[in-house]
Amino acid sequence: MMSTTTNKPDDKKLTPRSEDFSAWYNELVLRAQLADYSPVRGCIVFRPEGFAIWENIVAELDRRIKRTGARNAYFPLFIPQSFIRKEASHVEGFSPELAVVTHGGGKELEEPLIVRPTSETIINHMFAQWIKSYRDLPLMVNQWCNVVRWEMRTRMFLRTTEFLWQEGHTAHATREEAEAETLAMLEVYRAFCEEFLAIPLIVGRKSAAERFAGAVETYAIESLMRDGRALQCGTSHFLGQNFARAFEIRYLDENNQLQYVWQTSWGVSTRLLGALIMVHGDDQGLRLPPTVAPVQVVIVPIWRKPAERDDVLGSARAALAALTQAGVRCKLDDREGITPGFKFNEWEMRGVPLRIEIGPRDVAASEATLARRDAPGPTSKLKGALSRLPETVSALLDAMQAGLYREAKGAMDAATVEAPDFESLCRQMAGEGGGGLANVYWCGSAACETKIREQTKATCRAIPLAQTVAPRPCVVCGQTANERAFFAKAY
Ligand SMILES: [Zn+2]
């Protein structure tokens, strides 16, 4: 596949989101230099701009995961084929997506190796050897790694054959403890996405059809993209004793009785980059929440006459030093031979939250001009005293973080509709705006879920955890429904 990225000035605007959301997305990923197509079909190359965002996600989420007591470990990329076959629904779920290594060192292998699609099997094989007594529990490990799932239809960050993620795996003495851990990690993911990525979510349980292969219960955080389609951003699974029985993970309890452990697994992936783009991006490019932005502030010095150059650059460098000293991730764009307008467009495309312009008149007045990425245009520019830049910038970044969340939440709420009957559900999913989130009464039966999927392409995204609703007729079959669920067309 040919790459369409270029380092030349961009003379072309992005396709507007309203015109073709999918074209907008692909153009943005390439033009903001987040990723590029790779020579291997279905795989992508993370460019430094994109990888720096992922590194910030990893750093913050890793801190939050470790706070729960889990520790990082690393397990092999290759898994013996027989391992995948040990848990029946696991093998059934993953078989079509497996990449299999049959040869190594020029010879056919005695047993083919699977390139990990997820690591439950190999980790549980090791857990069986490490867990002997109740004193070894709980055992909580997390792994940051790549996984491979052979995808037929791929899209950058959202669905790629190889992707990066973290997968947590835990073993507990009791069912209650494992269930509590599953929900605790769901809450870690919710707080991380809403606080750090400014992405509003719906949170809940998955239907049986959407459950992880081998899980007793799957919980997920889901967000709504600006084209009205939902994106699963993270999952936390209660595995019960399914893998414990398949891999013989038993421990001696306090009464010297052998017991199977209870388990969980949970993960988020580089999909989150796709969510950031599709929730916050606009027609000018990416918009990054300050917390996750590799560059939070770019300083652009502006001068015309050579005589102005030294003063302007001097002030710009002083501003850079003061902001860096205050802990702001700041960059000085002092490239020459490039117009300020071009620089503005480039940093807007890359989603840098705040731009500081310093020209001769600003220097004379001991101030700077500040332009917010979330409020583009000359009228929204502000003036700030150079002596107080760190305080001013810090307050603006906080306001932008909250503002991006508020804006995205408003968009999600506006696209969330209660569909009282099947006809209105069909109408909503077929309508403009991509369908959005439909909040419906559903009896829980697979037949009704299938009918919804076949007629509207919407799937059950989440069944909210705490429900205080009176029973009503199911939107499909009319029988009693005790719960509401969110349906949407999904990525
Ligand atoms: Zn029904």
Side-chain angles (χ1 to χ4, degrees), residues 201-262:
L201 301 166
I202 54 165
V203 179
R205 200 173 85 234
K206 285 285 183 188
S207 66
E210 303 285 326
R211 203 175 279 156
F212 174 72
V216 173
E217 206 71 87
T218 288
Y219 300 87
I221 50 170
E222 296 266 337
S223 60
L224 189 68
M225 306 300 100
R226 295 297 180 95
D227 63 345
R229 292 169 73 187
L231 182 76
Q232 180 175 293
C233 289
T235 48
S236 185
H237 313 293
F238 171 59
L239 302 174
Q241 295 180 316
N242 291 346
F243 287 91
R245 287 176 192 279
F247 287 86
E248 282 295 316
I249 313 175
R250 292 194 288 179
Y251 70 97
L252 279 172
D253 69 12
E254 280 145 308
N255 303 315
N256 238 17
Q257 299 294 308
L258 268 181
Q259 305 283 356
Y260 286 108
V261 297
W262 296 86

Side-chain angles (χ1 to χ4, degrees), residues 132-151:
K132 300 292 176 205
S133 115
Y134 67 91
R135 291 185 199 88
D136 300 323
L137 298 173
L139 181 55
M140 303 164 74
V141 299
N142 177 55
Q143 153 164 276
W144 291 96
C145 66
N146 59 343
V147 289
V148 167
R149 297 177 186 179
W150 217 259
E151 297 285 357

Side-chain angles (χ1 to χ4, degrees), residues 119-346:
S119 301
E120 268 77 8
T121 57
I122 195 152
I123 289 180
N124 286 322
H125 173 81
M126 300 312 298
F127 274 19
Q129 297 168 54
W130 296 342
I131 296 169
K132 300 292 176 205
S133 115
Y134 67 91
R135 291 185 199 88
D136 300 323
L137 298 173
L139 181 55
M140 303 164 74
V141 299
N142 177 55
Q143 153 164 276
W144 291 96
C145 66
N146 59 343
V147 289
V148 167
R149 297 177 186 179
W150 217 259
E151 297 285 357
M152 291 303 142
R153 296 175 59 201
T154 59
R155 191 185 291 228
M156 286 191 284
F157 297 129
L158 303 177
R159 196 173 290 282
T160 49
T161 295
E162 179 190 10
F163 60 89
L164 308 179
W165 77 345
Q166 60 71 217
E167 48 177 322
H169 299 268
T170 70
H172 306 264
T174 65
R175 178 185 184 112
E176 292 69 34
E177 233 184 87
E179 282 176 331
E181 167 69 10
T182 311
L183 293 176
M185 284 314 301
L186 187 71
E187 170 57 18
V188 167
Y189 289 153
R190 184 209 61 76
F192 172 75
C193 277
E194 296 200 331
E195 293 164 6
F196 196 70
L197 304 181
I199 294 176
L201 301 166
I202 54 165
V203 179
R205 200 173 85 234
K206 285 285 183 188
S207 66
E210 303 285 326
R211 203 175 279 156
F212 174 72
V216 173
E217 206 71 87
T218 288
Y219 300 87
I221 50 170
E222 296 266 337
S223 60
L224 189 68
M225 306 300 100
R226 295 297 180 95
D227 63 345
R229 292 169 73 187
L231 182 76
Q232 180 175 293
C233 289
T235 48
S236 185
H237 313 293
F238 171 59
L239 302 174
Q241 295 180 316
N242 291 346
F243 287 91
R245 287 176 192 279
F247 287 86
E248 282 295 316
I249 313 175
R250 292 194 288 179
Y251 70 97
L252 279 172
D253 69 12
E254 280 145 308
N255 303 315
N256 238 17
Q257 299 294 308
L258 268 181
Q259 305 283 356
Y260 286 108
V261 297
W262 296 86
Q263 294 190 276
T264 80
S265 68
W266 25 270
V268 302
S269 74
T270 35
R271 271 202 142 191
L272 288 175
L273 292 172
L276 273 174
I277 297 165
M278 291 194 290
V279 167
H280 298 306
D282 66 12
D283 288 348
Q284 276 68 52
L286 188 59
R287 295 192 306 170
L288 285 172
T291 45
V292 74
V295 176
Q296 296 171 312
V297 175
V298 62
I299 302 171
V300 180
I302 301 169
W303 76 85
R304 283 204 180 77
K305 301 172 207 141
E308 296 163 349
R309 184 178 181 276
D310 285 356
D311 279 352
V312 166
L313 270 182
S315 285
R317 289 192 182 120
L320 174 72
L323 289 170
T324 305
Q325 172 79 26
V328 177
R329 295 190 290 274
C330 191
K331 188 177 171 70
L332 172 64
D333 185 356
D334 55 3
R335 289 177 295 172
E336 297 196 16
I338 296 174
T339 65
F342 175 83
K343 292 181 181 178
F344 295 176
N345 289 342
E346 186 173 297

Side-chain angles (χ1 to χ4, degrees), residues 442-445 448 474-479:
W442 168 46
C443 66
S445 84
C448 291
C474 168
V475 77
V476 184
C477 67
Q479 300 203 23

